[in-house]
Amino acid sequence: MTTQVETLEFQSEARQLLQLMIHSIYSNKDTFLRELVSNASDALDKVRLEAFRDKDLAADTSDLHVEIEIDAEHRTLTVRDNGIGMTRDDVVQLIGTIAKSGTAEFLRKLRETQDAAASQDLIGQFGVGFYSSFMVADRVELLTRHAGSAHGVRWESSGEGTYTIEPVEDAPQGTSVTLHLKPEDAEDHLSDYTSQWKVREIVKRYSDFITWPIRLAVEKTAEDGEMTRELETVNSMKALWARARDEVTDEEYTEFYKHVSHDWNDPLEVIRMQAEGTFEYQALMFIPAQAPLDLFMRERKRGVQLYVKRVFIMDNCEALMPEYLRFVKGVVDAADLSLNVSREILQQDRHIQLIRKRLIRKVLSTVKSMMTEHPDRYTTFWKEFGSAVKEGLLEDADNRDTILDISSFPSTHDEDAPTTLRQYVERMKDGQQHIYYMTGETRSIIENSPHMEALRAKGFEVLVLTDPIDEMWVGSVPQFDGKEFRSIAKGQVDLDTDEEKETAEAEREQRQKDFAGLLSWMTTTLQENVKEVRLSSRLTTSPACIVGDAYDVTPTLEKMYRASGQNMPQIKRILELNPTHPLVSGLRDAHGERAGDEELTETAELLYGMALLAEGGELGDPARFTSILARRLERTL
């Protein structure tokens, strides 16, 4: 085996993050020890599980523990575990590179943020883990050997942009991280981490619940006066989810959340569950206060861990939590599952399916309670996770009504505050049968759309749906509380009462006769772009608008399908004309006098193009449109 020492460079994002950490973005530097102990605990979980699954694994699991050693003379602190360890490739990938989704976005936001508190929030979203060592150390050494491997690896860096790595013959199983500590500095919030009482205090505050023994090497004076070093367990090792609620403080829940989530922020909500009887399990879950940067990335992971009888089984257990609740973090401990369970088996396991249903109901009911009891928290929750939760309207038909109940949407009722559907229904006008909505790319486009004119004139409230997921669910969810969802940009919108219809019936019939020739001619003239031209009941000031049939795919959804590589046939829509607008009535009169005039065809094209642009659409032939428009404008000068 070669003993050559290699010097490698950190990946650029890792180098930038190291510099940010070294220059004290995060003021509470004590948390470096929490991160190192948390990593060590994860390594112990993994080696026990691997040893159980692979009986031939050459791993010693007889006394799994975390050990902390202080050398005050040389100012070092070592955190050591005898867990799964790392190979050389693991070290390069996990430490030399930040192999996490959203890294570049995280760094961009961090650089743009001047406010220190906001910077802490961003770090919390990312979870820097091992890198926090450089907040308190000038130099970090790591010695590791993967369980079952013959040789170990030594890694060392001062965080300046490079690190060294070399093979080691006689490394023990597991990982030890030795920090060459910076001097104590009160102004920079740097404590003396060679102090036994300080280390003990940090462990008790942040890591008391870790289920493995955390042993601190302490110096004691023997009866003969000689100094001896003994290992003393400094944590209680009580699984937090197994303890009664009145035995656990809010601070302990907060630290446990930070352990399982690697988030540096406090959770928004704590959720406890316990089922006893024929099928027993305990759950301790958390709703974060901020959405992670990878919430909508393909590489994201769900955050619930599975234990069986206190034995860690797997991280990110997808069988326990649906995709739309992927932001929920926590632990589920089942009593009646086999330890030798796989992800594939879990998907079919009846007990897991039952737990999943109950977890979903509990999370949704917690959010519903939050709406009434803690509206500020609910507002934060919906701002951070509402877009993800709405995916459940498509995925989870069993809980669709509950999801609708806890959802909020922007509406024309209040430009700043969103509304729940329950509030919308309570404000509905007498005789109103539908919940009106419109989807679009921005609120501005929707509010200025011609489709809004008649509803605004009559005082009807409209939901303003701009999330991409809104385009998907509105076509799959028929109603709420007996009120049908109705798009104001599709089908016929009839807002008149029966009395108003009766009064205006004769006038409508006469208009239909007066415009029949124009409508027929325009339908033929624009047949490459529209399926029909008809008179509108939704326009008051605009000359025209484009609408879809009731079950047509919207233009925005059509774009989304095409962007994802799906072939979509051209969907022709309907051009509606405002019979009271001078441009439309003038075109009717002109067509009656000179039906074959080429300029009338151009006017019809302009009318269609204006309607398309008014809804934020794209012209099929922008050059022709602008050419016709330029010629018309020229004549007005």
Side-chain angles (χ1 to χ4, degrees), residues 17-18 21-24 26 28-37 39 77-79 95 128-142 155 157-159 175-182 190 193 264:
L17 184 54
L18 279 167
M21 295 305 302
I22 291 167
H23 290 95
S24 305
Y26 198 76
N28 185 4
K29 294 179 170 56
D30 290 357
T31 51
F32 83 92
L33 189 55
R34 178 189 71 197
E35 295 298 313
L36 294 181
V37 170
N39 289 344
L77 182 147
T78 300
V79 178
I95 299 179
V128 292
F130 175 82
Y131 294 91
S132 60
S133 303
F134 289 95
M135 294 191 298
V136 300
D138 291 318
R139 182 162 55 91
V140 178
E141 296 177 42
L142 179 143
W155 177 99
S157 178
S158 58
T175 301
S176 67
V177 180
T178 299
L179 311 184
H180 294 262
L181 296 167
K182 297 176 181 178
L190 265 174
Y193 297 112
W264 289 32

Side-chain angles (χ1 to χ4, degrees), residues 541-556:
T541 57
S542 297
C545 69
I546 297 175
V547 301
D549 267 342
Y551 300 104
D552 277 354
V553 172
T554 65
T556 305

Side-chain angles (χ1 to χ4, degrees), residues 365-411:
S365 66
T366 299
V367 175
K368 194 167 184 178
S369 299
M370 213 189 295
M371 292 178 77
T372 54
E373 296 170 17
H374 305 286
D376 290 345
R377 284 194 216 167
Y378 169 77
T379 299
T380 298
F381 167 82
W382 194 254
K383 175 175 171 287
E384 296 293 327
F385 303 109
S387 294
V389 172
K390 285 186 286 187
E391 295 172 16
L393 295 171
L394 293 166
E395 300 171 12
D396 190 354
D398 291 342
N399 292 292
R400 182 176 287 165
D401 290 343
T402 305
I403 297 171
L404 285 172
D405 244 341
I406 65 169
S407 297
S408 292
F409 306 94
S411 87

Side-chain angles (χ1 to χ4, degrees), residues 155-178:
W155 177 99
E156 185 174 340
S157 178
S158 58
E160 293 298 324
T162 63
Y163 60 90
T164 61
I165 190 167
E166 62 178 313
V168 176
E169 283 281 2
D170 55 354
Q173 171 188 308
T175 301
S176 67
V177 180
T178 299

Side-chain angles (χ1 to χ4, degrees), residues 175-427:
T175 301
S176 67
V177 180
T178 299
L179 311 184
H180 294 262
L181 296 167
K182 297 176 181 178
E184 182 179 1
D185 186 342
E187 287 187 10
D188 197 26
H189 307 284
L190 265 174
S191 300
D192 180 9
Y193 297 112
T194 64
S195 164
Q196 288 183 14
W197 74 263
K198 180 62 178 176
V199 170
R200 189 190 300 270
E201 182 240 334
I202 294 172
V203 171
K204 289 296 289 183
R205 186 179 353 136
Y206 292 128
S207 308
D208 191 56
F209 53 81
I210 297 289
T211 52
W212 302 106
I214 302 171
R215 297 168 183 164
L216 177 63
V218 297
E219 291 186 345
K220 292 188 176 180
T221 305
E223 291 182 2
D224 58 5
E226 288 189 21
M227 295 296 292
T228 61
R229 292 174 71 84
E230 295 180 9
L231 290 175
E232 182 179 310
T233 300
V234 291
N235 64 319
S236 67
M237 295 185 290
K238 291 182 180 177
L240 214 62
W241 59 88
R243 292 162 59 183
R245 174 65 184 93
D246 56 6
E247 294 179 7
V248 185
T249 65
D250 291 342
E251 290 74 17
E252 287 177 301
Y253 279 134
T254 295
E255 293 310 323
F256 182 74
Y257 163 74
K258 292 177 180 179
H259 167 70
V260 296
S261 68
H262 296 287
D263 186 352
W264 289 32
N265 300 297
D266 294 353
L268 186 67
E269 198 71 37
V270 180
I271 304 171
R272 284 181 52 93
M273 287 184 71
Q274 183 162 338
E276 298 177 346
T278 55
F279 181 52
E280 296 184 4
Y281 66 90
Q282 295 164 316
L284 178 57
M285 300 178 294
F286 303 89
I287 297 176
Q290 280 186 305
L293 293 172
D294 64 352
L295 183 64
F296 295 101
M297 292 184 180
R298 197 168 284 180
E299 301 85 357
R300 66 188 176 269
K301 294 179 179 179
R302 276 169 260 187
V304 176
Q305 299 175 350
L306 175 63
Y307 283 71
V308 174
K309 303 183 185 77
R310 310 287 188 273
V311 177
F312 173 77
I313 299 298
M314 69 181 66
D315 246 334
N316 310 309
C317 185
E318 297 176 2
L320 285 171
M321 198 59 63
E323 183 77 4
Y324 71 94
L325 296 179
R326 56 188 174 272
F327 51 85
V328 175
K329 307 294 182 185
V331 165
V332 173
D333 190 350
D336 301 309
L337 289 176
S338 164
L339 292 177
N340 195 21
V341 70
S342 67
R343 290 184 185 274
E344 291 72 27
I345 293 172
L346 284 177
Q347 297 292 342
Q348 308 300 325
D349 189 275
R350 184 177 63 85
H351 287 159
I352 287 293
Q353 293 303 315
L354 182 61
I355 294 176
R356 176 188 172 101
K357 287 181 180 178
R358 291 178 178 173
L359 294 181
I360 293 171
R361 286 203 296 265
K362 183 65 174 178
V363 171
L364 297 180
S365 66
T366 299
V367 175
K368 194 167 184 178
S369 299
M370 213 189 295
M371 292 178 77
T372 54
E373 296 170 17
H374 305 286
D376 290 345
R377 284 194 216 167
Y378 169 77
T379 299
T380 298
F381 167 82
W382 194 254
K383 175 175 171 287
E384 296 293 327
F385 303 109
S387 294
V389 172
K390 285 186 286 187
E391 295 172 16
L393 295 171
L394 293 166
E395 300 171 12
D396 190 354
D398 291 342
N399 292 292
R400 182 176 287 165
D401 290 343
T402 305
I403 297 171
L404 285 172
D405 244 341
I406 65 169
S407 297
S408 292
F409 306 94
S411 87
T412 54
H413 175 72
D414 189 321
E415 187 173 337
D416 299 316
T419 182
T420 65
L421 294 175
R422 188 73 56 196
Q423 291 167 334
Y424 180 102
V425 170
E426 289 171 357
R427 289 192 297 265

Side-chain angles (χ1 to χ4, degrees), residues 296 387 390 394 439-441 465-474 554 556-557 560:
F296 295 101
S387 294
K390 285 186 286 187
L394 293 166
T439 61
E441 292 186 10
L465 307 182
T466 57
D467 265 352
I469 189 62
D470 291 332
E471 294 282 354
M472 308 287 289
W473 72 261
V474 289
T554 65
T556 305
L557 189 54
M560 290 166 59

